[in-house]
């Protein structure tokens, strides 16, 4: 079975037609437990998330701040396996028909076998992968495998990325480009860094791929601001933190549903109403 | 280029353009760090081509560090090592007490060249942290050192030294609270502060160019020692031996001997409670290829690529990875890597102190334990060169506790020496 790269592209195109940014939400698989995590992701998907990222927890999450580190730690101590990550992706896709991405550091996939992982993720209905420590120069073999399984390879771009590298990674990437709003690890910040919009502009100058912005986006006001210039808004730590702070899993899922709904509302652009039938 | 103390490897000996030593190395880092890591690579190439850089480094290594370091023959110790002749390369006599200063001064000069006012570094045993804090004091750079909470406890003397030198020491409470986690946290700081900050990585691991660059700064150890031992004995050693955590002191010693195919290169890894117990840090003996901290090498990991927590009595060797060039030397067979348990290392630790009046770092004691084994294999005709990479003042608490406990456990009411 082939992966859902086309579904991902279609979802982003439809959001654009509807004059809104897509909402992309994240949860670490196996957090707080595998089944509770699946329920939380389903709550996200029924509350307005367009796309979900399922995190494959890692012992050494170099690009993650304390919130996602804590979630990864809980998931790993709970004994989560890659099969559980695949099952989480499968259930999320089956229940919603929406695109599901896996976010993973490279070593677990490399060790598991890129071919085996890709074919299992594609069979589960997955749409692609975000691999934050696999830069474009090291990615040729992976992209070949992912491409054969119709899985997107979503590269991150950072404010420090040179224009020359932006050309390389946008040429190699598929699905969308993940623009980091700031220089830093995942986590909750007070305001959206001004670097975000200029990075999105620089990316748009070299590619037609949609550009989604994440890292440091945690509330509706920030989501609305980012929706003004990006094709998608990615929220992770704020949702994970809601679960960490909740008294139990059900309360966590309810808070996540509320926050997702608020974020979803915020991604609609009010300044320039959609013209039916016209795409921009 | 002719220099007294700076001997970058020749182009043919270096990794390829992408930073690979055979199948190992590379650059597995977040995109946000690519520009900074590339900047380091470019600046290092410029520095290598600039005679002014070598001259400045040479002044520092001669008059601040005290190079060349001595080569000491240790006959009383050698009596316990099969009667082979044993020479120690005395990196413990360097200013700050270990080989770490060789690399740190090179990178501190690079930091100045890049115009960055702030330095960050990880430390395990505290030797790299102390060396970095020292260089920052010397050059007026702001300095932050990340150190696992477990290591802060077992290397308290070095923590006090770093603070005295003006560094901020940040305890790391994630994971096993040791070196691996300190490196993670330092990378996280770097991602957020890369414009103002250089990461003085302490070992020959990490993304390209760190493994090659740090090896170059440590090559002086082997180049000096090779000349010294040839002058003193009229020949090259049968084996050169060093402890291997990340592997910077070992590669520094080994590299000058790479073309001397008759000289065995022997790395001693920390086997902790024993390689079969699962409580060890013997990455090449018991690990498998994988990616950790920006490069492909051997790592200790489970069947799904999660890094497992290492164990060693030595904070400096308590690391589940190893530099990619060691992985390459291991796979090609040019390097031999042996596991050395806590117990064997601590025996060698006390033996060198009591027989020669030299207290080694517990890290270096692993190489001494390996020397006892290899010397016994070689017999009286053998000639061994060992890198005494650091001194043991920092380890007095750990040693006192270890020997105290060992005596109690044995029920002998004390150990006489």
């Amino acid at each position: 079975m082939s992966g859902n790269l086309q579904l991902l592209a279609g979802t982003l195109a439809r959001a654009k037609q509807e004059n809104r940014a897509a909402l992309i939400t994240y949860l670490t698989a196996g957090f707080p437990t595998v089944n509770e995590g699946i329920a939380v992701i389903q709550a996200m998907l029924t509350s307005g998330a367009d796309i979900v990222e399922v995190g494959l927890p890692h012992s050494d999450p170099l690009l993650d701040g304390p919130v996602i580190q804590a979630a990864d730690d809980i998931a790993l101590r709970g004994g989560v396996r890659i099969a559980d990550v695949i099952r989480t992706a499968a259930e999320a896709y089956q229940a919603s028909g929406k695109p599901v991405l896996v976010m993973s550091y490279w070593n677990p996939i490399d060790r598991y076998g890129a071919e085996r992982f890709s074919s299992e993720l594609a069979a589960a209905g997955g749409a692609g992968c975000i691999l934050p420590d696999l830069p474009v120069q090291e990615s040729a073999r992976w992209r070949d495998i992912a491409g054969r399984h119709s899985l997107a390879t979503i590269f991150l771009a950072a404010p420090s990325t040179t224009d020359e590298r932006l050309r390389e990674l946008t040429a190699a990437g598929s699905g969308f480009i993940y623009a980091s709003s700031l220089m830093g690890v995942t986590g909750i910040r007070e305001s959206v860094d001004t670097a975000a919009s200029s990075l999105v502009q620089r990316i748009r100058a070299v590619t037609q791929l949609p550009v989604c912005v994440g890292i440091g986006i945690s509330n509706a006001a920030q989501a609305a601001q980012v929706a003004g210039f990006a094709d998608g808004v990615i929220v992770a730590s704020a949702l994970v933190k809601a679960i960490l702070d909740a008294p139990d899993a059900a309360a966590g899922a309810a808070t996540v549903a509320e926050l997702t709904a608020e974020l979803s509302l915020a991604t609609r652009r009010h300044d320039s109403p959609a013209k039916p039938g016209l795409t921009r | 280029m002719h220099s007294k103390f700076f001997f970058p490897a020749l182009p043919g000996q270096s990794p390829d353009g992408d930073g690979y030593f055979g199948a190992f190395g590379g650059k597995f880092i977040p995109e946000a760090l690519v520009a900074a890591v590339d900047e380091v690579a470019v600046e290092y190439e410029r520095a290598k081509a600039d005679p002014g850089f070598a001259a400045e480094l040479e002044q520092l290594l001669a008059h601040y560090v005290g190079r060349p370091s001595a080569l000491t023959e240790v006959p009383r110790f050698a009596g316990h090592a099969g009667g082979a002749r044993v020479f120690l390369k005395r990196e413990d006599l360097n200013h700050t007490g270990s080989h770490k200063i060789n690399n740190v001064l090179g990178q501190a000069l690079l930091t100045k060249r890049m115009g960055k006012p702030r330095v960050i570094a990880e430390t395990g045993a505290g030797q790299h942290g102390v060396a970095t804090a020292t260089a920052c004091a010397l050059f007026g750079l702001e300095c932050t050192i990340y150190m696992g909470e477990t290591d802060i406890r077992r290397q308290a003397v070095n923590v006090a030294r770093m603070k005295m030198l003006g560094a901020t020491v940040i305890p790391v409470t994630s994971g096993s609270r040791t070196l691996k986690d300190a490196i993670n946290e330092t990378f996280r700081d770097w991602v957020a502060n890369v414009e103002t900050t250089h990461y003085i990585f302490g070992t020959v691991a990490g993304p390209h160019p760190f493994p090659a660059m740090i090896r170059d700064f440590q090559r002086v150890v082997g180049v000096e020692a090779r000349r010294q031992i040839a002058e003193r004995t009229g020949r090259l050693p049968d084996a050169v031996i060093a402890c291997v955590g990340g592997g910077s002191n070992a590669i520094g010693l080994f590299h000058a001997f790479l073309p001397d195919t008759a000289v065995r290169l022997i790395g001693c890894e920390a086997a902790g409670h024993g390689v079969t117990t699962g409580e060890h840090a013997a990455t090449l003996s018991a690990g498998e290829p994988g990616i950790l901290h920006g490069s492909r090498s051997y790592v200790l990991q489970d069947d799904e690529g999660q890094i497992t927590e290492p164990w060693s009595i030595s904070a400096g060797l308590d690391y589940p990875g190893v530099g990619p060039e060691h992985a390459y030397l291991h796979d090609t067979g040019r390097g031999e890597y042996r596991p050395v348990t806590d117990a064997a290392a601590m025996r060698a630790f006390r033996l060198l102190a009591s027989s020669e009046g030299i207290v080694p770092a517990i890290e270096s004691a692993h190489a001494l334990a390996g020397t006892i084994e290899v010397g016994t294999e070689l017999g009286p005709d053998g000639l061994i060169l060992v890198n005494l990479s650091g001194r043991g003042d920092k380890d007095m608490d750990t040693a006192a506790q270890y020997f105290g406990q060992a005596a109690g456990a044995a029920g002998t009411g004390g150990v006489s020496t």
Side-chain angles (χ1 to χ4, degrees):
Chain A
M1 181 177 164
S2 88
N4 271 316
L5 171 58
Q6 288 313 315
L7 175 66
L8 175 64
T11 299
L12 287 160
R14 201 181 60 246
K16 189 170 194 166
Q17 271 176 6
E18 294 169 1
N19 194 32
R20 63 187 182 87
L23 176 63
I24 303 168
T25 59
Y26 168 94
L27 194 74
T28 300
F31 169 73
T33 65
V34 176
N35 286 335
E36 286 166 344
I38 290 170
V40 170
I41 288 174
Q42 286 173 350
M44 290 171 172
L45 288 164
T46 54
S47 306
D50 296 289
I51 299 164
V52 290
E53 288 175 21
V54 174
L56 194 159
H58 191 38
S59 53
D60 295 82
L62 212 63
L63 194 61
D64 285 302
V67 171
I68 292 177
Q69 284 176 46
D72 279 20
D73 205 37
I74 289 167
L76 290 172
R77 276 192 277 121
V80 69
R81 304 278 294 171
I82 289 177
D84 299 314
V85 178
I86 302 278
R87 179 164 73 86
T88 300
E91 298 212 11
Y93 170 66
Q94 280 157 20
S96 67
K98 292 180 177 178
V100 179
L101 306 170
V102 168
M103 171 88 133
S104 178
Y105 291 89
W106 179 237
N107 195 52
I109 294 179
D110 187 61
R111 175 90 168 134
Y112 193 72
E115 177 63 44
R116 177 183 172 203
F117 184 84
S118 294
S119 75
E120 290 179 12
L121 181 60
C129 287
I130 302 163
L131 306 165
D133 63 346
L134 189 72
V136 63
Q137 277 68 21
E138 300 283 358
S139 70
R141 191 178 133 265
W142 159 260
R143 281 185 284 122
D144 177 52
I145 293 167
R148 279 192 280 105
H149 291 283
S150 296
L151 294 171
T153 299
I154 293 144
F155 285 109
L156 275 88
S160 62
T161 305
T162 62
D163 287 342
E164 187 189 344
R165 281 191 65 81
L166 284 181
R167 274 190 291 275
E168 292 173 54
L169 66 88
T170 54
S174 48
F176 62 89
I177 298 298
Y178 187 137
S180 172
S181 82
L182 48 78
M183 293 299 292
V185 296
T186 60
I188 294 162
R189 310 294 200 287
E190 299 263 304
S191 60
V192 178
D193 199 289
T194 50
S197 65
S198 61
L199 174 60
V200 171
Q201 273 179 8
R202 289 201 296 129
I203 296 170
R204 291 207 194 284
V206 295
T207 186
Q208 299 297 311
L209 281 174
V211 184
C212 303
V213 173
I215 303 190
I217 315 298
S218 51
N219 60 39
Q222 292 169 338
Q225 192 185 340
V226 169
F229 57 82
D231 300 302
V233 177
I234 306 168
V235 180
S237 294
L239 294 159
V240 173
K241 188 166 187 301
I243 298 167
L244 281 172
D245 292 348
D248 58 53
T255 314
V256 162
E258 261 172 59
L259 180 53
T260 306
E262 281 172 34
L263 291 164
S264 171
L265 214 57
T267 58
R268 285 157 214 285
R269 303 183 188 110
H270 303 294
D271 52 347
S272 50
K275 298 183 178 74
L278 272 184
T279 59
R280 295 189 296 158
Chain B
M1 184 189 326
H2 184 74
S3 166
K4 256 173 87 182
F5 299 121
F6 179 46
F7 307 101
L10 303 170
Q13 298 175 309
S14 294
D16 71 15
D18 297 324
Y20 276 90
F21 304 87
F24 303 103
K27 204 159 58 181
F28 296 85
I29 49 172
E31 179 60 32
L33 287 178
V34 169
V37 168
D38 287 353
E39 183 188 6
V40 173
V42 167
E43 196 58 49
Y44 178 56
E45 288 307 312
R46 280 193 200 131
K48 270 198 290 188
D50 175 2
F53 178 80
E56 197 172 353
L57 185 55
E58 195 167 306
Q59 287 301 305
L60 288 164
L61 290 173
H63 305 306
Y64 190 67
V65 174
R67 299 213 75 89
S69 64
L71 187 76
T72 304
E73 184 166 13
V74 285
R76 278 166 52 80
F77 177 83
H80 300 267
R85 290 186 79 181
V86 176
F87 287 78
L88 306 183
K89 179 61 174 165
R90 300 294 304 280
E91 292 300 298
D92 62 316
L93 295 179
N94 292 339
H95 179 45
T96 73
S98 80
H99 70 291
K100 293 292 188 185
I101 193 77
N102 302 325
N103 163 48
V104 164
L105 288 173
Q107 288 200 54
L109 289 179
L110 275 191
T111 308
K112 278 206 321 186
R113 291 174 68 102
M114 291 186 290
K116 294 188 171 180
R118 179 171 179 263
V119 159
I120 53 175
E122 85 292 349
T123 199
Q127 294 300 84
H128 178 60
V130 166
T132 302
T134 298
C136 288
L138 181 64
F139 291 126
L141 299 164
E142 188 191 335
C143 181
T144 299
I145 305 292
Y146 289 90
M147 188 169 188
E149 215 176 39
T150 303
D151 294 339
I152 284 183
R153 225 175 18 249
R154 57 181 166 174
Q155 307 280 210
V157 174
N158 275 344
V159 175
R161 287 169 80 194
M162 288 185 271
K163 288 181 177 167
M164 183 58 65
L165 291 160
T168 304
V169 180
I170 299 184
V172 175
T173 56
S174 56
S176 54
R177 305 176 181 212
T178 59
L179 180 54
K180 165 182 85 99
D181 312 287
I183 294 176
N184 288 340
E185 215 48 46
T186 316
F187 270 115
R188 290 182 186 120
D189 180 314
W190 206 22
V191 173
N193 298 297
V194 71
E195 268 186 41
T196 60
T197 301
H198 176 58
Y199 180 0
I200 298 191
F201 201 70
T203 191
V204 287
H208 178 67
F210 286 102
M213 177 175 76
I214 294 164
R215 174 204 64 199
D216 285 358
F217 289 136
Q218 295 293 359
R219 275 189 97 245
V220 61
V221 175
V223 172
E224 277 178 12
R226 188 176 181 281
R227 189 173 56 224
Q228 287 167 321
I229 201 163
E231 278 169 13
R232 296 268 285 280
T233 67
R235 70 171 181 112
L236 292 179
D238 299 304
V240 298
I241 302 182
C243 65
V244 178
S248 69
N249 91 80
I251 210 78
L253 179 65
F254 291 177
H255 210 268
F257 293 93
L258 273 183
D260 306 316
T261 48
V263 179
R264 291 163 64 188
L265 313 177
I266 300 175
C268 297
E269 297 193 298
H273 296 141
V275 168
T276 54
T277 65
E279 293 178 336
H280 63 80
T283 308
L284 289 166
S285 305
E288 292 184 66
I291 289 136
L292 175 66
H293 296 146
S295 53
R296 182 185 296 281
S297 184
Y298 278 69
V299 295
L300 298 177
Q301 59 182 332
D302 70 12
D303 64 328
E304 292 202 337
Q306 306 296 347
I307 308 304
T308 53
E309 301 204 341
W311 165 263
S312 169
I313 192 168
S314 141
L317 305 182
D318 197 358
Y319 182 58
V322 65
E325 193 165 9
H326 285 294
Y328 175 67
L329 293 175
H330 172 268
D331 275 21
T332 57
R334 181 67 184 93
E336 303 168 39
Y337 295 86
R338 297 182 175 218
V340 170
T341 61
D342 287 354
M346 293 311 288
R347 267 198 307 276
F349 176 90
R350 192 159 58 179
L351 184 59
L352 188 73
S354 60
S355 65
E356 298 284 352
I358 299 170
V359 179
I362 295 178
E363 289 75 22
S364 317
H366 286 70
L368 295 167
T371 301
I372 294 171
E373 279 182 23
V374 174
T376 306
E377 291 159 22
L378 291 174
D381 295 336
L383 177 61
I384 299 174
L385 170 62
V386 190
N387 197 4
L388 197 73
S389 56
R391 69 179 190 221
D393 310 41
K394 68 187 178 62
D395 293 317
M396 285 303 107
D397 282 353
T398 305
Q401 213 173 34
Y402 179 85
F403 290 117
Q405 278 174 359
T412 57
V415 178
S416 60
T417 49

